[in-house]
Amino acid sequence: MAGLVVGLVMLSGGGGPPRTLSREEAREEARRLAPRDEDWGLGFVVAGEAYDQGEYTVRKDCVIVLNADRPGTLASLDRWAERKEAAMQTYSYVRVFGDAATAEGYIDDIEDGIHRCPALQLDKVRYEDSREWATTGSVPSFDEMVSEEGRIVTDEEGRKVNEVYADLTGQTGRIVMHTFVTGPAGTEAELRQIAVRALQRMHQRLPES
């Protein structure tokens, strides 16, 4: 972390008011916090990544749509990984905002969608039995934390599947981190552990405030 600690302290809210970051600086912070192969666990390999792809929001009808980033978003990095032999896939993102208030609003919107929608639709993918799960003591201390798990009943082609998912979203200062893991039915406990492990590793890259 040498050379970027000062920027991260400002980013996470320590050491006084956060300074304004350039787009490239915010992207660099997102890259350094994003999960790597080993953060997910044995057998996972990062399959791709992309910057600034917009943000998913849950409409009133519980359909998930991709919109432009909200004002105040400096950078985001999405990353995908997979463990083929276990039929598990992961998705993560790090979002860097201009201030903590914008980050708080972002995670509040995520929590609202979970509370409103036990079933959700993303294109042809359908999620059911969506709910929060207890994370007390299992993850580092964030300013705010949101969890979700449930079932996936149709895939990207609209075909019936029997899969499950678990995800975690944590907010510290003006940074939001997210981990999402899918796998076959019956792997719920393992998926939670994988999501927690990756988020722990990401959190460890933040400096102490």
Side-chain angles (χ1 to χ4, degrees):
M1 297 195 304
L4 286 174
V5 170
V6 173
L8 267 175
V9 169
M10 293 299 188
L11 191 62
S12 63
R19 68 180 179 86
T20 301
L21 298 177
S22 70
R23 182 176 181 181
E24 289 306 314
E25 287 174 322
R27 281 187 167 192
E28 180 60 30
E29 302 295 2
R31 170 169 289 277
R32 199 150 61 86
L33 296 170
R36 302 148 193 175
D37 293 352
E38 62 271 19
D39 295 338
W40 295 109
L42 185 64
F44 279 98
V45 177
V46 172
E49 65 179 30
Y51 284 103
D52 304 327
Q53 297 297 294
E55 67 177 65
Y56 288 101
T57 58
V58 180
R59 296 190 321 209
K60 291 182 179 180
D61 60 0
C62 295
V63 172
I64 303 169
V65 294
L66 182 63
N67 293 320
D69 288 322
R70 69 188 59 203
T73 303
L74 301 181
S76 65
L77 175 59
D78 298 2
R79 189 170 279 178
W80 300 267
E82 58 185 356
R83 192 167 81 188
K84 290 184 178 180
E85 70 276 10
M88 292 181 177
Q89 297 180 323
T90 75
Y91 165 69
S92 68
Y93 61 70
V94 178
R95 306 187 72 85
V96 181
F97 296 96
D99 54 54
T102 306
E104 290 165 5
Y106 178 88
I107 204 166
D108 287 347
D109 288 344
I110 292 176
E111 190 169 23
D112 173 69
I114 296 170
H115 291 166
R116 286 190 296 106
C117 299
L120 301 114
Q121 186 91 22
L122 173 60
D123 297 326
K124 294 182 180 181
V125 179
R126 184 165 180 81
Y127 305 91
E128 293 185 354
D129 299 328
S130 298
R131 59 199 179 276
E132 291 187 86
W133 51 279
T135 60
T136 303
S138 62
V139 293
S141 176
F142 284 87
D143 295 345
E144 289 194 63
M145 168 70 68
V146 178
S147 66
E148 183 182 359
E149 66 178 357
R151 298 187 300 122
I152 304 172
V153 297
T154 59
D155 66 11
E156 295 86 349
E157 303 299 325
R159 299 170 297 201
K160 289 185 178 181
V161 295
N162 186 20
E163 298 178 354
V164 289
Y165 72 92
D167 72 43
L168 286 170
T169 310
Q171 175 254 326
T172 294
R174 60 183 186 181
I175 298 173
V176 173
M177 305 172 173
H178 174 81
T179 58
F180 177 92
V181 193
T182 68
T187 61
E188 289 87 346
E190 185 177 4
L191 299 187
R192 293 188 205 109
Q193 291 173 357
I194 293 169
V196 167
R197 173 192 172 96
L199 201 67
Q200 286 174 332
R201 296 293 186 91
M202 296 163 74
H203 188 274
Q204 288 169 2
R205 297 186 187 113
L206 286 171
E208 295 184 4
S209 58

